[in-house]
Amino acid sequence: MFRLTAFPLRTLLALLLGACLMALSAPAANASSRIKDIVDVEGIRDNMLVGYGLVVGLNGTGDTLRNAPFTQQSLTGMLERLGVNTRGTNMKTANVAAVMVSANLPAFSTQGSRIDVTVSALGDATNLQGGVLLVTPLMGADGQVYAVAQGSLATGGFSAKGEAASVVRGVPTNGRIANGAIVEREIDFALGDLRNLRLSLRNPDLTTAQRIATAINTYLGAPTARADNSSIVEIGVPSSYRGGVVALLTDIEQLRVQPDLIARVVIDEASGVIVMGQDVRVSKVAIAQGNLTISVSETPQVSQPSPFSTQGDTVVVPRTDVNVDEEEGKQLGIIDGSISLKELVDGLNTLGVSPRDMITILQAIKSSGALQADIEVM
């Protein structure tokens, strides 16, 4: 036996209102992003390192010393440091290649930790497969050595050739060494001592910056965050926050906001790719599209005198055939104003527009002032 409980009218209305609000806010929550996915914390960043070194152990695919004098000079200098005097001699080895070594030093890397390095041929070496990188100092922009790299290369490509044919897959002159460098110098950054944090938006936007500041203030219950501009949100670290700066960042990163971007159409004319944002709108406009094909074919013919004739010469007579084919059946189409992205694409597809023709149409619509979006051509 069930017992029905009577709810006051005010309580019932509140429950219904809450259910409606949850249903309306569900799509927005699904489309929102975490703050950690759309911002960077100022000061927490990678640092680029670069170095010059030698790869040895190649199977005859290294630099030609005659064509790469820097390789010969580096090889001579390295051997002299090891007590071998080769000055004045004619070296003809093809098992050595000069390379550039690059790496990213992550934030808060400590001495003794390892990082990956990328090795790229500098001379005319054809393949780095099977090579070993010798000890190579990696320097930062300030000229200081922050890591030292060494190890066996792993290439993602290969090459093979014979007397009359050759095959190349991938880029065999580029390789990678996993955990190939040891960090020797740390970059000091006292994150825990900061009293103010600055969040840098990866896609600057005033609306997004204000939403981030509002979400942080709502979570902390105090106006500690403010949007300085479209790129920076500054946060004052509360002195009473338990756990310090790291704990504050951990909590803030999990907050969700809805990013907002300007309406933009990105076009890659080389490949015919078109990418449009959801806020792209088109005012009422009429569009007509047709194709005109002109083909020109050359069929030269040979004209020669009659057999056993002593007069006349054999000549080539040009024959040109020009055809004009204009596609018919194309009509003027009208696209209503303030249509959405899907409606725009459906309308252009109804006109039988190819991707490359669509690029031209979008640029023409923009020139007419009917496209309410920016066009970026890659």
Side-chain angles (χ1 to χ4, degrees):
M1 181 176 181
F2 297 93
R3 176 177 298 178
L4 297 178
T5 303
F7 285 91
L9 180 60
R10 181 176 300 178
T11 304
L12 183 59
L13 291 177
L15 291 175
L16 292 175
L17 180 59
C20 294
L21 291 177
M22 291 179 61
L24 292 175
S25 62
N30 294 334
S32 61
S33 300
R34 296 180 303 174
I35 290 181
K36 71 180 303 179
D37 297 325
I38 58 177
V39 304
D40 293 317
V41 181
E42 189 175 274
I44 303 179
R45 44 160 291 183
D46 293 350
N47 290 273
M48 298 181 180
L49 306 179
V50 67
Y52 170 82
L54 292 175
V55 171
V56 299
L58 303 176
N59 188 19
T61 59
D63 292 339
T64 304
L65 298 185
R66 179 181 301 177
N67 298 332
F70 48 85
T71 304
Q72 183 174 359
Q73 295 173 6
S74 302
L75 181 59
T76 300
M78 181 196 68
L79 293 176
E80 284 185 349
R81 289 194 299 270
L82 297 176
V84 181
N85 185 10
T86 58
R87 291 193 178 274
T89 61
N90 186 15
M91 293 186 292
K92 296 184 179 180
T93 179
N95 299 333
V96 182
V99 295
M100 296 300 297
V101 184
S102 58
N104 285 333
L105 182 64
F108 310 116
S109 296
T110 58
Q111 291 184 6
S113 60
R114 289 183 171 271
I115 57 177
D116 299 339
V117 297
T118 301
V119 182
S120 305
L122 187 62
D124 58 355
T126 58
N127 197 340
L128 297 180
Q129 186 176 7
V132 176
L133 175 68
L134 299 181
V135 176
T136 303
L138 301 180
M139 299 177 294
D142 56 358
Q144 300 292 327
V145 175
Y146 287 90
V148 176
Q150 180 173 273
S152 301
L153 275 73
T155 59
F158 68 90
S159 64
K161 64 179 180 179
E163 292 295 333
S166 62
V167 60
V168 178
R169 291 291 184 269
V171 184
T173 54
N174 189 60
R176 189 173 180 84
I177 307 177
N179 295 328
I182 300 178
V183 177
E184 300 291 344
R185 183 192 298 267
E186 300 179 7
I187 298 179
D188 295 331
F189 179 62
L191 177 63
D193 297 336
L194 296 179
R195 300 267 55 92
N196 290 283
L197 297 174
R198 288 165 59 90
L199 306 181
S200 176
L201 275 69
R202 296 171 185 171
N203 295 311
D205 183 83
L206 287 172
T207 303
T208 306
Q210 184 58 47
R211 289 176 180 175
I212 292 175
T214 302
I216 295 174
N217 291 335
T218 302
Y219 175 77
L220 296 178
T224 59
R226 62 185 178 90
D228 289 345
N229 49 55
S230 61
S231 299
I232 299 297
V233 176
E234 188 168 352
I235 307 172
V237 180
S239 57
S240 59
Y241 201 87
R242 294 182 300 175
V245 177
V246 176
L248 176 61
L249 283 175
T250 303
D251 294 340
I252 289 175
E253 286 179 340
Q254 305 304 319
L255 300 179
R256 290 185 174 271
V257 297
Q258 176 64 43
D260 191 79
L261 298 174
I262 63 173
R264 179 180 288 118
V265 178
V266 181
I267 297 174
D268 186 357
E269 290 185 321
S271 59
V273 174
I274 305 173
V275 178
M276 291 183 282
Q278 65 176 359
D279 293 325
V280 174
R281 290 293 183 272
V282 179
S283 302
K284 190 170 184 178
V285 64
I287 299 175
Q289 183 265 345
N291 291 325
L292 178 66
T293 303
I294 302 176
S295 60
V296 180
S297 60
E298 297 285 352
T299 309
Q301 297 181 354
V302 178
S303 176
Q304 59 184 6
S306 302
F308 307 107
S309 175
T310 59
Q311 296 180 352
D313 298 324
T314 300
V315 296
V316 177
V317 180
R319 291 289 186 271
T320 302
D321 186 18
V322 179
N323 294 320
V324 178
D325 182 15
E326 185 174 6
E327 186 177 356
E328 299 180 355
K330 296 295 184 180
Q331 300 179 354
L332 187 67
I334 298 178
I335 297 180
D336 294 332
S338 300
I339 65 172
S340 63
L341 171 62
K342 181 180 183 302
E343 294 169 336
L344 172 62
V345 175
D346 290 343
L348 294 178
N349 289 333
T350 302
L351 296 177
V353 178
S354 65
R356 294 193 179 276
D357 291 336
M358 195 178 296
I359 292 175
T360 304
I361 291 176
L362 289 174
Q363 292 176 333
I365 295 176
K366 177 64 176 178
S367 299
S368 69
L371 182 62
Q372 314 306 325
D374 292 337
I375 290 184
E376 180 180 343
V377 181
M378 300 178 60

